Amino acid sequence: MSVVFTGPPPRSRNTKHALIAMELADRPGEWAVVQRLASITRASSAAQAIRSGRLAAYPGGAFEAVARSVVEQGRVEHRVYARFVGAKSAA
């Protein structure tokens, strides 16, 4: 087996969250459903992680997110809605 030395790994990875954040940034101010989860508790936790910037893909203050339970055709879905609002200025 041989080893390939190529230098340090890239700084940013194209995680699903990085891709979602890029899509949101392309359409600032527009709400989008970014996740559908098994419970409102999980959806609320995911929304909080986006709002607070706990996930690196969503810098704190640049994104808004909320969790909602929605009934469609008799089925309940627990959704995370998010939008890009831009970085807060340090005024």
Side-chain angles (χ1 to χ4, degrees):
M1 174 185 245
S2 64
V3 176
V4 177
F5 293 92
T6 62
R11 284 183 148 300
S12 65
R13 301 180 319 178
N14 286 330
T15 65
K16 70 178 179 177
H17 290 289
L19 297 174
I20 290 168
M22 283 190 288
E23 283 190 61
L24 293 172
D26 284 343
R27 297 176 72 165
E30 289 187 52
W31 287 101
V33 176
V34 298
Q35 286 186 300
R36 290 173 174 85
L37 295 162
S39 71
I40 192 63
T41 302
R42 294 180 92 182
S44 295
S45 178
Q48 176 61 28
I50 292 170
R51 280 193 309 272
S52 69
R54 194 168 65 223
L55 298 171
Y58 309 101
F63 294 86
E64 292 180 342
V66 296
R68 298 287 188 265
S69 294
V70 178
V71 179
E72 284 188 352
Q73 299 176 344
R75 288 190 52 221
V76 178
E77 278 192 348
H78 308 290
R79 298 176 181 173
V80 178
Y81 292 82
R83 69 179 175 175
F84 177 75
V85 294
K88 302 280 190 230
S89 64

